[in-house]
Amino acid sequence: GLGLYASIVARFDCPCGACRDPLSVCACTHPGGAKEVKALIRQRLDEGRALQDVVREVTQEYGDLRG
């Protein structure tokens, strides 16, 4: 649900390389940017994936886990 989605998004900065915004507030359309990453997160949650699995996949694909 939205709780899971929000808690995953809160862990990352936008990984596109052009912005340094928190992913939670970013809506950029750069390649590998916020729109793309958020769509992936929603898709994985819709597929029933666990929070830690989604976080791991995003970290491996995009990096930029927040310090």
Side-chain angles (χ1 to χ4, degrees), residues 44-58:
R44 292 298 182 254
L45 291 176
D46 286 348
E47 291 167 0
R49 300 284 288 282
L51 181 145
Q52 57 269 31
D53 291 342
V54 179
V55 170
R56 189 179 309 117
E57 179 176 1
V58 173

Side-chain angles (χ1 to χ4, degrees), residues 11 13 64-67:
R11 295 168 189 238
D13 286 327
D64 270 6
L65 200 58
R66 303 199 65 173

Side-chain angles (χ1 to χ4, degrees), residues 9 11 15 21 23 26 33 40 43 48 53 56-57 60 65:
V9 167
R11 295 168 189 238
D21 295 324
L23 185 57
C26 193
L40 174 70
Q43 181 182 338
D53 291 342
R56 189 179 309 117
E57 179 176 1
Q60 287 172 343
L65 200 58

Side-chain angles (χ1 to χ4, degrees), residues 24-42:
S24 55
V25 299
C26 193
C28 82
T29 55
H30 298 117
K35 283 244 192 293
E36 180 179 319
V37 179
K38 287 176 170 178
L40 174 70
I41 292 169
R42 285 195 188 282

